[in-house]
Amino acid sequence: MDPVTIVTGLVVSAAVSAASYEIGRLLAPKTPSPPIQPVRIPTGPSPLNDANTLGGPLPGLLGARRVSGKSLVQVQVGNATYAVYVIAGAPVTGIDAVYINNNIVSIDGSNNVTSSPWANSGSYSMQIYLHDGTQTVVDAALHAALPNWTTQFVGKQIAYAIIKIDPSVSATKFASTYSGMPDFTFAVRGFKCYDPRDGGCVLGDTSTYIFSVNPSVIEANYLIHPLGANFPTSLVDWASVTTCANVDDQSVTLASGGVENRYTSTLHWTTSETHESVLGRAGAAHAGGVRPIGSKFVMTTGYLSSAAYTITPDDYAGDGLTVNEHIPIANRANGVRGQFTSLGDNDEMRDFPSYQEAAALTQDNGRAVGAHRLS
């Protein structure tokens, strides 16, 4: 047999073997698709955790929510007790309200808590002094009570609260009011952000930044904040942040009527957490996140794109097209239920009712619900 005949025979044999393999693969039993697991939204330490510890990592906040603050020191001077709570490790936009034992209280211009049972007919057993982190002088009340709390303890760039409790101002009235230190929480608008869409914002000049609840803006600012990843501003692809922030702000129609922004969020963290953990929560808030692409962090956000897709010859490059079978309806969700927090519920976790779209239920011939947690 000449060499040409040998080569031809090998080629034919190889072609037959390949065809046999392909036929066997197509006729083989189909492996069922694995069930889809519910998406687990990453969670961090509870902002309302009242198990405060002295000192410890600094808390950060972008957006608005109620937080507990962290106990820095408690000291008794005569009949009065002074407590210092660190609210955030950098200046905040504002401290809008104080809650005592989960109830919002009123504070007058002299820092007196005027709500019952902490006040009675002009007698005030509690004063609260709030500092948003922009203060330049020491707190006068604490300096007067504690001589060693000198003018060097300004707490620069720290948002904090001082609580003074003195039941002796009316012992008969307030003797039974205090059975221990009450629980204090604070409604806070967090750090101001650089928003590339705002003409008044100058990147790097924090005095021009603005308050925001836009998830893409918040996530990008975590990347550059000193309490966050603290990356140089040049590492963020601000053009992608602009595009995604505009999608986040799009109005969507509610089933019950009215509209709201597609996404809003708040990001609370402590400096003891990893950046991956914090960014995981930030990205989950708008079904997107930042991705390192080239020399930049590029922002993505979730939204519905066109269902139509044009296939071109370029789609056949490499291994060609791969077609996946439909996932069984039992493994897919056509509804959602979960938990959320809102200012209307004092920022405590609440269940929202299961929701399904009637048209989707009809098409799917039944109900399959996935669970999600929004925090």
Side-chain angles (χ1 to χ4, degrees):
M1 183 180 294
D2 57 68
V4 175
T5 304
I6 294 174
V7 172
T8 302
L10 291 175
V11 171
V12 172
S13 177
V16 171
S17 296
S20 299
Y21 168 78
E22 185 65 18
I23 292 172
R25 186 182 68 82
L26 293 174
L27 295 179
K30 303 298 184 186
T31 302
S33 301
I36 293 179
Q37 298 299 319
V39 176
R40 302 299 180 186
I41 304 301
T43 59
S46 171
L48 295 179
N49 179 15
D50 58 3
N52 294 317
T53 57
L54 298 179
L58 290 172
L61 179 66
L62 291 162
R65 72 154 299 138
R66 188 159 63 105
V67 300
S68 66
K70 298 299 178 184
S71 176
L72 179 64
V73 65
Q74 292 183 17
V75 63
Q76 186 165 348
V77 180
N79 293 316
T81 298
Y82 291 82
V84 180
Y85 291 87
V86 174
I87 296 173
V92 297
T93 305
I95 304 171
D96 298 324
V98 179
Y99 293 75
I100 302 178
N101 293 340
N102 214 32
N103 294 307
I104 194 169
V105 297
S106 298
I107 303 173
D108 67 16
S110 299
N111 304 103
N112 296 308
V113 176
T114 59
S115 302
S116 177
W118 323 109
N120 180 57
S121 303
S123 295
Y124 307 104
S125 65
M126 185 185 301
Q127 287 80 42
I128 298 180
Y129 306 85
L130 301 173
H131 301 278
D132 64 6
T134 62
Q135 64 277 353
T136 58
V137 296
V138 70
D139 181 86
L142 204 56
H143 178 57
L146 300 171
N148 290 331
W149 197 276
T150 63
T151 55
Q152 64 180 310
F153 298 120
V154 174
K156 291 182 179 179
Q157 302 295 299
I158 300 293
Y160 71 99
I162 295 173
I163 316 292
K164 177 186 176 183
I165 298 175
D166 187 0
S168 67
V169 296
S170 181
T172 303
K173 163 62 182 174
F174 298 118
S176 60
T177 299
Y178 298 93
S179 58
M181 180 63 73
D183 174 47
F184 296 95
T185 52
F186 310 89
V188 183
R189 281 171 293 136
F191 310 146
K192 293 182 179 181
C193 297
Y194 171 70
D195 189 332
R197 304 169 300 167
D198 189 295
C201 287
V202 178
L203 186 60
D205 183 358
T206 56
S207 67
T208 67
Y209 290 7
I210 61 175
F211 174 74
S212 179
V213 293
N214 182 285
S216 294
V217 171
I218 282 177
E219 188 167 7
N221 277 266
Y222 174 84
L223 289 175
I224 64 173
H225 197 279
L227 292 184
N230 201 25
F231 289 135
T233 57
S234 60
L235 292 183
V236 179
D237 181 359
W238 294 104
S240 68
V241 175
T242 296
T243 300
C244 292
N246 287 334
V247 172
D248 296 343
D249 283 347
Q250 289 174 352
S251 293
V252 294
T253 303
L254 304 177
S256 58
V259 297
E260 68 179 16
N261 286 0
R262 183 179 299 279
Y263 300 111
T264 59
S265 75
T266 288
L267 182 62
H268 179 272
W269 74 94
T270 67
T271 52
S272 62
E273 295 185 78
T274 65
H275 299 319
E276 291 81 3
S277 174
V278 179
L279 289 171
R281 300 200 301 275
H286 59 126
V290 288
R291 303 289 185 269
I293 300 177
S295 61
K296 301 278 188 178
F297 285 100
V298 178
M299 188 68 65
T300 62
T301 196
Y303 66 100
L304 292 175
S305 59
S306 173
Y309 184 78
T310 302
I311 298 176
T312 69
D314 291 339
D315 295 302
Y316 290 86
D319 296 331
L321 293 176
T322 300
V323 179
N324 293 325
E325 295 180 353
H326 287 294
I327 301 171
I329 184 61
N331 296 336
R332 289 186 289 149
N334 57 12
V336 64
R337 60 182 174 82
Q339 296 179 309
F340 72 105
T341 61
S342 73
L343 291 174
D345 291 309
N346 290 336
D347 284 305
E348 295 180 339
M349 197 66 71
R350 294 285 187 271
D351 293 327
F352 63 78
S354 175
Y355 171 78
Q356 297 86 36
E357 186 182 35
L361 289 177
T362 300
Q363 291 174 356
D364 293 339
N365 239 355
R367 171 183 172 186
V369 179
H372 300 270
R373 171 174 171 162
L374 306 179
S375 61

